[in-house]
Amino acid sequence: MQDNHRHKGLRKKLIDELRQMGIFDERILSAFNAIPRHFFLDLAFLEKAYTNIAFQIGAGQTISHPYTVAFQTQLLELEKGEKVLEIGTGSGFQTCILCELGLRVFTVERQKELYLSSKEIINQFGFHPKQFYGDGYKGLDMYQPFDKVLITCGAPEIPKMLIQQMKIGGKMVVPVGEGESQLMQRVTKVSENEISIEEFGTFRFVPMLQNTTK
Ligand code: SAH
């Protein structure tokens, strides 16, 4: 797929829009410039790849709005080299943003089809995060503890097992709630058995599902 002047221009426009919407972290805005979002979408949507909307990516799932990706990333307060666990690889777009930011990325997807297709595209960018096909609720016990956890699907409640896999002082960004909308929460692990929660408004996500069959 090509990345022409028109795509680059549209990307600049999207970045201005994100800035106006409150994304101030220049590292994140540069990452959005470096990763062409249209590579992750069906050819039919090429022209629309840079509008601030969600898209179907197969297996009944969606790639999140650019603003949502940028906002969740900003809430994580990431530092280069940190270990980040992402739940819901989906298209792989968010994963590439995390890789571009110089993080050590671990990502889990429960849809085989998306696990495979995202792997291909992520590798095409020259990124090689650790990718897993499985149930995000379980996290990755073998690779813990994580500095940050990013959940890109709507969790019915804060997943306890993932809190356990975080470092003290670590942060999780998770949209919480069943049904139509979710409340964006940032959970800080204050001590081994204590967390603090901040809230950041409502968003819409596909649900974080419980089993790995399919
Ligand atoms: N970060 C993605 C967003 C994809 S939508 C992107 O940039 O495109 C959320 C994804 O979470 C979907 O692909 C869905 O299959 C996945 N998902 C839902 N429940 C899950 C679970 N329990 N474990 C892992 N992935 C899950």
Side-chain angles (χ1 to χ4, degrees), residues 37 40 55 57-65 69 72 86-97 107-112 114-115 132-138 150-154 205-212:
R37 188 168 184 257
F40 298 82
F55 278 99
I57 50 171
Q61 305 303 321
T62 51
I63 177 171
S64 302
H65 291 63
V69 174
Q72 285 197 290
E86 178 193 28
I87 307 299
T89 318
S91 68
F93 177 69
Q94 168 83 71
T95 316
C96 284
I97 294 286
T107 184
V108 183
E109 172 57 54
R110 69 177 286 284
Q111 300 275 2
K112 188 91 175 244
L114 294 174
Y115 159 74
F132 301 85
Y133 166 56
D135 182 5
Y137 279 100
K138 299 197 177 82
L150 171 58
I151 302 185
T152 72
C153 36
F205 283 85
V206 296
M208 182 169 180
L209 299 172
Q210 291 280 2
N211 61 43
T212 48

Side-chain angles (χ1 to χ4, degrees), residues 126-177:
F127 297 131
H128 298 279
K130 290 223 181 317
Q131 288 192 240
F132 301 85
Y133 166 56
D135 182 5
Y137 279 100
K138 299 197 177 82
L140 294 171
D141 200 30
M142 267 179 63
Y143 296 94
Q144 60 149 323
F146 297 97
D147 296 289
K148 304 284 162 69
V149 176
L150 171 58
I151 302 185
T152 72
C153 36
E157 57 185 41
I158 296 167
K160 304 268 175 326
M161 221 182 272
L162 302 187
I163 298 283
Q164 282 168 17
Q165 296 183 12
M166 276 159 61
K167 287 184 187 166
I168 308 284
K171 288 184 167 63
M172 170 190 289
V173 170
V174 53
V176 180

Side-chain angles (χ1 to χ4, degrees), residues 22-187:
I23 304 302
F24 53 80
D25 189 332
E26 290 297 329
R27 298 170 306 171
I28 296 173
L29 295 168
S30 313
F32 266 75
N33 198 33
I35 310 295
R37 188 168 184 257
H38 66 277
F39 283 28
F40 298 82
L41 303 173
D42 203 283
L43 274 179
F45 296 129
L46 209 65
E47 295 298 309
K48 290 226 170 86
Y50 297 102
T51 42
N52 211 352
I53 48 179
F55 278 99
Q56 295 291 325
I57 50 171
Q61 305 303 321
T62 51
I63 177 171
S64 302
H65 291 63
Y67 173 70
T68 307
V69 174
F71 187 67
Q72 285 197 290
T73 309
Q74 187 163 274
L75 284 180
L76 282 169
E77 297 176 339
L78 297 158
E79 293 300 334
K80 216 173 175 154
E82 282 185 334
K83 249 168 89 178
V84 182
L85 172 63
E86 178 193 28
I87 307 299
T89 318
S91 68
F93 177 69
Q94 168 83 71
T95 316
C96 284
I97 294 286
L98 295 173
C99 291
E100 177 69 23
L101 288 168
L103 301 153
R104 286 183 287 154
V105 183
F106 299 74
T107 184
V108 183
E109 172 57 54
R110 69 177 286 284
Q111 300 275 2
K112 188 91 175 244
E113 176 187 338
L114 294 174
Y115 159 74
L116 293 170
S117 57
S118 65
K119 201 175 180 66
E120 197 172 314
I121 186 162
I122 291 167
N123 294 344
Q124 269 173 33
F125 276 99
F127 297 131
H128 298 279
K130 290 223 181 317
Q131 288 192 240
F132 301 85
Y133 166 56
D135 182 5
Y137 279 100
K138 299 197 177 82
L140 294 171
D141 200 30
M142 267 179 63
Y143 296 94
Q144 60 149 323
F146 297 97
D147 296 289
K148 304 284 162 69
V149 176
L150 171 58
I151 302 185
T152 72
C153 36
E157 57 185 41
I158 296 167
K160 304 268 175 326
M161 221 182 272
L162 302 187
I163 298 283
Q164 282 168 17
Q165 296 183 12
M166 276 159 61
K167 287 184 187 166
I168 308 284
K171 288 184 167 63
M172 170 190 289
V173 170
V174 53
V176 180
E178 284 169 297
E180 286 295 286
S181 68
Q182 287 74 37
L183 184 60
M184 191 67 79
Q185 300 193 348
R186 179 166 60 193
V187 184

